[in-house]
Amino acid sequence: MTLPRTSPWLGQPDPYRWRALRRRWLFTLFVLLQTVAGVWGMILVLPYHGGTPIEKAILVTFIPLYAFVAAGSWMALFGFYLRRRYRGRGDPLGILRRHAGRLDAVALVKTAVILPIYHEDVDRVFRGLQASIESVRDAGALDSFEFFVLSDSRDPQVWLEERAAWLHLCDTLDLHGRLHYRRRRVNLKAKTGNVSDFLRRWGRAFKYFVVFDADSVMSGQSLVTLVKLMECEPRAGMIQTVPTLFNAHSAFARMQQFVTHLYGPLFSEGLAALQLNEAVFWGHNAIIRTEAFMAHCGLRGMRGIGLWRGTVLSHDFVEAAFIRRAGYEVWLEPAIQGSYEESPPSLDDELIRDKRWSKGNLQHVKFLAFERGIATAHRMAFMNGIFAYLASPVWFLFLLFSTIEVAQFAAGDINYFPDPRSLYPHWPQWHPQWAIVLVTSTLVTLFLPKLLALFELLVFDRARRAGFGGTGRLLQGFLLENLFSILLAPIRMLAHSAYVVQAILNVSVRWAGQNRSDEIGWLQALVRHAPGMILAIAWSGLALSLNANFFYWTIPISLSLLLAAPITVWLSRFSLGARWRALGIWNTPPEMGAGDPVIARFESLPELALKPARAPDWLTWTLLHPRQARVAAALAARRTGAAKAATTALAEQILTEGLQGLPGRVAARVLDDGEAVIRLHRHAWQAAADDPWGRQVDQLTREICIR
């Protein structure tokens, strides 16, 4: 494959341009009108009607916050309108609806499914991959796909288990030569470097590739549909599915899963209708045209200052913008079913992930302001992603400025001449009726999308409603979810505010595997949320000393910050999630028998059990197990010169002293030499009782090693 320097579609007329512009201008008009009305209401509420410096600061923070909330509300309204107008058949301009009638006649082409991983739960990763592969086989399309597990794991106890799991899956599914495992020895540029390495090695052999995340599961039919849509739409560079959450066990994860099933369709369809062929890429559960991606989506290190220097962390939005700039289309298709991912099990795990995302999104300022040729829709996506995290410190400042305003009046510091040029005093005016109207309109804007999703389910979609356990359980879950959303919002606000400050100061972000199965302990939660609890006590005390009515307004925020630790611990509990599932709280259609077969298959798969529980660590197991040792020797790099001498010396040290005295990563270097691996394996099985290997490997280990 020779990569073209330019796209064949660059400069060609865009068939969706004017229809997309009409939708976007209408959306913008509605958002602006509502924002103007909200700002006017805030001006009427303020005693000096925005005439003092502190009130100007309040307005400066209020305007973007209100506009951001209004934009989300109107996007959901667009989604509701489209779903009701076309009765759930999808947007007529969407890529699936336009080509649905001809998909059966479209032939499949060679496609890669890639799974980049880094220190993940090996059992979970490979069970998800197995469920997806078996679903592809059931769809009769296995011959058109190859699967690649791309590891960046550094700990030998992790990557040796990954390799054993890969070998086990190859045996189980008879996929030798079609299911591949590759571990990078030098993992530069994190996930982007991992994918780039795959493309350099194997990319030219595949017309398309599908990106999985570590927790992704996709049905065979969804993968087949993606490939056929790419064949039908030669302009398409990417097609992004809308992953639905599944496999939730903790109470927090079950709440998030309930949210995506209930509210997700409105927001995703509204977003897809506004973006059309200039959609975003979320980094996984999407198909990509290999040639276009290789030619136009290479991301160089940034050469700016501070956080705008080095690797692009949130690379997916940038890659979508670049491939669109080259003339290819990027589609978001909510109508493709069978795309799944998991939620973090706790709020703290979600916030740890957000720390990396916040810095990555703030890096997009560079591409928003200085990158040429970016489509307007992608610039808006950059802005939305940036403000998704900037909204938190802006909200914090809004609360701070409001407190200062109240403090000034409580101290009797009333300025009757806020305008020094005025000859007459300006009496501050309070209009509580306008405050009530403004608060009510804000609450309606916040909760209208959720109410519309509930209304649609109750009135128009009885079959889907049954998947939530019926009307009673649906309403119960709806009310409970909104209660916890209100409690969690200030906690997220404070954490995101800290992350934005750290990003601006260019504090390093650790790249590590995500926790997907552990609960949060009390000490961990108390330490993490102690600053917010202290701040809540101080702010509430100050508010009470200033004005009792103002104190009542602060209670929802202060209370959630005070309860942050117990809420986090409580919602992270798997036992609570199981108990609520048994009671029917936050149940979703897949749990009520209306799920995708690929999910049922995933849940039915047993744990891999790659080695007995009493077996030694993975490095020792690899050296002892006959087949694992042969595989390790076959996959070892060919060493010569100084590198060969170093591994030979390391093997001699291990032969003499055993593995106990060496750090795991140092000892694992012996696996780089195939001859050394075989020599160690033979010595272990021939070792005398007084040999270090004889003392390590007792008779029980010798018996369970061969399975």
Side-chain angles (χ1 to χ4, degrees):
M1 180 192 300
T2 302
L3 298 180
R5 293 187 176 182
T6 60
S7 160
W9 310 112
L10 190 61
Q12 296 294 317
D14 182 354
Y16 303 99
R17 175 177 174 79
W18 294 109
R19 283 174 282 191
L21 285 176
R22 282 197 296 270
R23 291 181 176 186
R24 294 168 190 169
W25 278 113
L26 184 63
F27 169 78
T28 303
L29 177 63
F30 287 150
V31 173
L32 287 177
L33 287 176
Q34 183 176 351
T35 303
V36 169
V39 172
W40 181 251
M42 175 57 83
I43 290 173
L44 293 177
V45 168
L46 293 172
Y48 292 108
H49 307 315
T52 64
I54 194 64
E55 290 189 354
K56 286 182 172 64
I58 290 173
L59 287 174
V60 167
T61 54
F62 176 80
I63 291 171
L65 287 173
Y66 196 86
F68 188 65
V69 172
S73 182
W74 280 107
M75 184 180 298
L77 280 167
F78 266 64
F80 178 79
Y81 168 76
L82 287 171
R83 287 174 64 82
R84 298 291 18 107
R85 178 177 179 182
Y86 300 110
R87 300 184 181 276
R89 298 191 303 270
D91 186 352
L93 299 181
I95 189 171
L96 180 59
R97 185 168 174 184
R98 286 187 290 106
H99 297 296
R102 51 185 292 215
L103 289 183
D104 290 342
V106 177
L108 294 172
V109 297
K110 201 171 184 182
T111 303
V113 176
I114 67 171
L115 175 55
I117 55 176
Y118 178 75
H119 287 173
E120 297 287 349
D121 181 338
V122 176
D123 179 81
R124 164 60 188 86
V125 167
F126 280 87
R127 283 195 297 120
L129 181 59
Q130 181 176 350
S132 300
I133 293 173
E134 290 183 357
S135 182
V136 172
R137 174 174 285 166
D138 291 345
L142 192 57
D143 290 343
S144 299
F145 291 89
E146 287 191 33
F147 302 87
F148 293 80
V149 179
L150 309 174
S151 175
D152 264 342
S153 299
R154 313 310 301 158
D155 185 347
Q157 298 302 323
V158 176
W159 61 261
L160 286 172
E161 184 181 2
E162 291 170 357
R163 197 159 71 184
W166 157 70
L167 194 61
H168 169 79
L169 211 56
C170 287
D171 293 340
T172 302
L173 301 178
D174 191 22
L175 280 181
H176 291 280
R178 301 189 62 79
L179 171 58
H180 312 275
Y181 174 84
R182 187 275 289 134
R183 185 183 76 87
R184 283 200 299 170
R185 298 176 184 275
V186 181
N187 50 359
L188 297 174
K189 296 186 177 180
K191 183 178 178 180
T192 54
N194 199 354
V195 175
S196 297
D197 182 77
F198 159 77
L199 292 173
R200 283 192 297 270
R201 294 171 182 266
W202 298 287
R204 288 171 172 81
F206 301 96
K207 190 173 184 180
Y208 311 116
F209 69 99
V210 178
V211 185
F212 274 24
D213 211 352
D215 57 358
S216 294
V217 170
M218 293 187 72
S219 69
Q221 190 55 52
S222 66
L223 291 169
V224 167
T225 300
L226 285 173
V227 175
K228 290 187 174 183
L229 285 176
M230 293 293 275
E231 286 291 279
C232 290
E233 193 73 60
R235 285 176 175 259
M238 296 176 174
I239 303 176
Q240 173 70 59
T241 65
V242 180
T244 303
L245 296 185
F246 85 112
N247 197 37
H249 296 289
S250 70
F252 177 83
R254 289 186 54 74
M255 179 179 68
Q256 298 297 92
Q257 180 175 278
F258 178 83
V259 165
T260 62
H261 280 272
L262 180 56
Y263 313 135
L266 261 64
F267 285 98
S268 60
E269 294 209 23
L271 179 62
L274 291 171
Q275 293 180 334
L276 287 182
N277 61 343
E278 295 178 336
V280 294
F281 169 45
W282 293 332
H284 58 90
N285 292 49
I287 191 168
I288 301 171
R289 191 175 298 273
T290 308
E291 178 183 314
F293 190 90
M294 292 178 69
H296 305 291
C297 295
L299 298 182
R300 298 178 179 177
M302 296 184 294
R303 298 183 178 180
I305 59 173
L307 77 154
W308 296 288
R309 183 179 182 85
T311 302
V312 180
L313 297 178
S314 294
H315 54 89
D316 35 23
F317 275 31
V318 181
E319 289 160 348
F322 282 9
I323 206 168
R324 177 58 183 151
R325 179 174 63 179
Y328 290 92
E329 297 174 346
V330 183
W331 290 93
L332 173 65
E333 186 45 79
I336 297 177
Q337 303 298 311
S339 177
Y340 303 96
E341 64 175 337
E342 293 183 5
S343 166
S346 71
L347 174 64
D348 281 3
D349 291 304
E350 178 193 88
L351 293 177
I352 291 171
R353 181 187 66 182
D354 284 349
K355 184 175 184 179
R356 183 175 66 252
W357 285 4
S358 62
K359 186 172 184 179
N361 282 20
L362 290 176
Q363 287 179 328
H364 292 166
V365 170
K366 174 184 181 297
F367 300 97
L368 172 66
F370 303 110
E371 193 71 32
R372 296 181 179 179
I374 302 297
T376 302
H378 283 124
R379 293 192 189 277
M380 296 302 294
F382 285 146
M383 288 179 61
N384 182 74
I386 292 166
F387 197 74
Y389 291 99
L390 278 182
S392 291
V394 172
W395 183 16
F396 184 87
L397 290 174
F398 174 79
L399 296 173
L400 176 63
F401 296 147
S402 301
T403 303
I404 294 173
E405 172 90 335
V406 174
Q408 288 180 343
F409 280 97
D413 185 16
I414 301 176
N415 183 8
Y416 295 101
F417 292 91
D419 184 354
R421 295 168 297 181
S422 175
L423 299 177
Y424 303 98
H426 186 177
W427 301 95
Q429 300 175 0
W430 286 267
H431 297 286
Q433 70 277 12
W434 283 109
I436 294 173
V437 171
L438 180 62
V439 170
T440 302
S441 69
T442 304
L443 291 176
V444 169
T445 303
L446 280 169
F447 291 101
L448 182 60
K450 296 185 174 185
L451 291 170
L452 284 176
L454 181 66
F455 174 76
E456 180 189 48
L457 208 60
L458 292 175
V459 177
F460 299 107
D461 202 343
R462 295 183 180 179
R464 188 162 154 259
R465 181 179 66 203
F468 291 88
T471 302
R473 291 303 185 194
L474 174 63
L475 292 174
Q476 182 185 38
F478 175 82
L479 294 174
L480 195 61
E481 183 277 323
N482 279 279
L483 171 63
F484 279 108
S485 292
I486 293 170
L487 289 172
L488 295 178
I491 304 172
R492 289 185 171 113
M493 177 267 292
L494 197 61
H496 290 174
S497 299
Y499 296 161
V500 168
V501 173
Q502 293 173 20
I504 293 173
L505 296 176
N506 199 29
V507 176
S508 297
V509 176
R510 188 170 64 95
W511 181 40
Q514 298 182 34
N515 169 44
R516 305 185 192 273
S517 59
D518 294 337
E519 298 179 347
I520 300 298
W522 278 101
L523 180 60
Q524 177 185 352
L526 287 170
V527 170
R528 178 178 293 276
H529 296 289
M533 298 167 69
I534 296 170
L535 179 63
I537 294 171
W539 188 44
S540 295
L542 177 62
L544 184 61
S545 67
L546 295 175
N547 185 295
N549 289 329
F550 181 61
F551 169 74
Y552 298 141
W553 282 98
T554 67
I555 286 177
I557 296 174
S558 298
L559 187 63
S560 69
L561 293 176
L562 282 171
L563 298 176
I567 289 173
T568 301
V569 172
W570 192 42
L571 289 180
S572 76
R573 293 293 182 249
F574 284 58
S575 58
L576 179 63
R579 194 156 58 245
W580 282 6
R581 177 175 181 174
L583 293 173
I585 299 174
W586 290 334
N587 278 355
T588 53
E591 297 170 332
M592 301 298 291
D596 193 312
V598 72
I599 299 304
R601 186 187 301 274
F602 170 83
E603 293 174 343
S604 68
L605 290 174
E607 293 187 4
L608 296 181
L610 299 173
K611 65 183 179 70
R614 291 181 294 177
D617 62 87
W618 273 103
L619 179 55
T620 306
W621 173 261
T622 301
L623 292 173
L624 292 177
H625 193 286
R627 190 181 184 198
Q628 296 292 339
R630 288 198 304 271
V631 170
L635 295 178
R638 295 182 179 178
R639 298 294 184 182
T640 58
K644 175 69 174 179
T647 54
T648 301
L650 179 61
E652 288 291 339
Q653 183 179 356
I654 294 173
L655 283 173
T656 305
E657 303 173 8
L659 292 169
Q660 291 88 341
L662 292 171
R665 296 191 183 187
V666 174
R669 293 174 188 166
V670 76
L671 298 178
D672 291 340
D673 187 335
E675 293 180 2
V677 170
I678 296 301
R679 182 182 175 194
L680 285 170
H681 175 74
R682 290 174 176 169
H683 175 82
W685 284 98
Q686 298 171 359
D690 58 348
D691 187 275
W693 283 98
R695 292 192 297 270
Q696 291 182 58
V697 186
D698 58 17
Q699 186 60 38
L700 176 63
T701 305
R702 292 173 183 268
E703 290 177 357
I704 65 176
C705 208
I706 302 177
R707 305 168 62 211

